[in-house]
């Protein structure tokens, strides 16, 4: 069985500050890991994914995440927050293979960016 | 190009009624997924289609829920005898062959179901 824990349901940062959203996972097989973003009244959009290649993954809008097997973590970071980054962020894990799209999602972290 | 389209965007119904939710995937995407997102939670997997067949329906909560994809494109999620606990946003996602290997999903905006 797989599970995802996102630490902090709400994170607030100032514009220009570092963004750090935490994700820990549990998986019995080598995982595929994802971060999705959901803006108000929009569908989930893939930010980035880890599929067993490079452990540091770069995504859209300046976000990146590092896969750390020893810590079972896949934290999302961005060096400098922008107002447009305010959204809900979801971490997800799947076991890859022929059903890689069957993901287990965390409960989400709402990011607020203060001017 | 067009993304995943879901209709209706909002549906309010009464307890015990039957509901159909429709998903029109991105053209050419062979894999289609249904997820359910309850308030304050992340999406939960319901069912996965590869072509016309349900390859994995392990997430359907009970036999009141059923989904079809008769021609391998549009899918309909059907809920019989709705209950208040069925209230949620129902998300549809599709992916192409490459995405099916890497797990990248393209989501629609969802259908918000409210059961009174």
């Amino acid at each position: 069985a797989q599970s995802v824990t996102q630490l902090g349901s709400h994170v607030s940062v100032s514009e220009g500050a570092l963004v750090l959203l935490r994700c820990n996972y549990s998986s019995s097989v080598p995982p595929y890991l994802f971060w999705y973003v959901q803006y108000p009244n929009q569908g989930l959009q893939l930010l980035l994914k880890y599929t067993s290649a490079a452990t540091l993954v770069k995504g859209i809008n300046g976000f990146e995440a590092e896969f750390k097997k020893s810590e079972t973590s896949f934290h999302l970071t961005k060096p400098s927050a922008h107002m447009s980054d305010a959204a809900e962020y979801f971490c997800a894990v799947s076991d890859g293979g022929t059903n890689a799209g069957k993901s287990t999602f965390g409960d989400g972290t709402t990011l607020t960016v203060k001017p | 190009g067009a993304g995943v389209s879901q209709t209706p965007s909002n549906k309010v119904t009464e307890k015990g009624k039957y509901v159909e939710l429709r998903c029109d995937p991105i053209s050419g995407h062979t894999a289609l997924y249904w997820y359910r997102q309850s308030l304050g939670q992340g999406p939960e997997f319901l069912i996965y289609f590869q072509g016309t067949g349900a390859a994995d329906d392990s997430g359907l909560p009970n036999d009141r829920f059923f989904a079809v994809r008769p021609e391998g494109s549009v899918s309909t999620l059907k809920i019989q005898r709705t209950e208040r606990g069925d209230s949620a946003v129902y998300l549809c996602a599709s992916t192409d062959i490459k995405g099916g290997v890497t797990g990248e999903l393209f989501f629609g905006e969802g259908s918000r179901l409210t059961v009174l």
Side-chain angles (χ1 to χ4, degrees):
Chain A
Q2 300 168 315
S3 66
V4 171
T5 301
Q6 291 185 239
L7 299 174
S9 58
H10 291 84
V11 170
S12 180
V13 301
S14 298
E15 191 173 19
L18 171 72
V19 175
L20 170 61
L21 304 183
R22 299 178 188 273
C23 172
N24 288 90
Y25 70 91
S26 172
S27 178
S28 57
V29 299
Y32 283 14
L33 293 158
F34 310 86
W35 276 100
Y36 286 87
V37 60
Q38 187 173 31
Y39 299 103
N41 300 316
Q42 295 186 27
L44 281 81
Q45 177 184 3
L46 183 70
L47 266 182
L48 50 78
K49 63 179 184 283
Y50 166 78
T51 57
S52 75
T55 56
L56 181 61
V57 180
K58 295 187 184 298
I60 61 172
N61 301 338
F63 284 93
E64 63 181 38
E66 186 171 8
F67 170 67
K68 291 187 176 180
K69 183 179 178 181
S70 61
E71 299 177 8
T72 60
S73 69
F74 191 58
H75 302 329
L76 182 70
T77 60
K78 182 174 180 178
S80 177
H82 192 272
M83 297 295 290
S84 61
D85 294 327
E88 189 159 22
Y89 292 79
F90 292 92
C91 181
V93 62
S94 84
D95 62 7
T98 58
N99 196 1
K102 181 182 180 181
S103 289
T104 299
F105 284 77
D107 286 338
T109 297
T110 300
L111 176 66
T112 301
V113 182
K114 299 174 292 185
Chain B
V4 176
S5 176
Q6 292 189 246
T7 54
S9 55
N10 277 287
K11 175 70 177 180
V12 180
T13 191
E14 294 180 343
K15 180 175 177 295
K17 299 290 188 180
Y18 169 80
V19 165
E20 287 190 353
L21 306 175
R22 174 189 167 108
C23 172
D24 200 340
I26 293 172
S27 177
H29 280 190
T30 58
L32 185 148
Y33 293 78
W34 284 99
Y35 281 81
R36 178 169 70 173
Q37 187 175 16
S38 300
L39 191 63
Q41 298 181 17
E44 291 179 290
F45 170 81
L46 294 177
I47 186 169
Y48 155 54
F49 287 91
Q50 183 60 261
T52 60
D56 184 345
D57 65 357
S58 61
L60 294 178
N62 52 59
D63 61 5
R64 296 187 297 106
F65 288 76
F66 190 71
V68 295
R69 195 185 185 200
E71 297 179 357
S73 178
V74 171
S75 177
T76 304
L77 178 66
K78 308 180 180 193
I79 310 174
Q80 298 177 319
R81 305 183 304 280
T82 52
E83 300 178 356
R84 291 193 180 88
D86 299 336
S87 296
V89 177
Y90 290 82
L91 301 171
C92 178
S94 69
T95 191
D96 58 8
I97 293 175
K98 175 174 175 290
V101 172
T102 63
E104 177 174 356
L105 298 173
F106 296 83
F107 281 89
E109 294 183 6
S111 292
R112 181 177 298 277
L113 175 66
T114 302
V115 182
L116 302 177

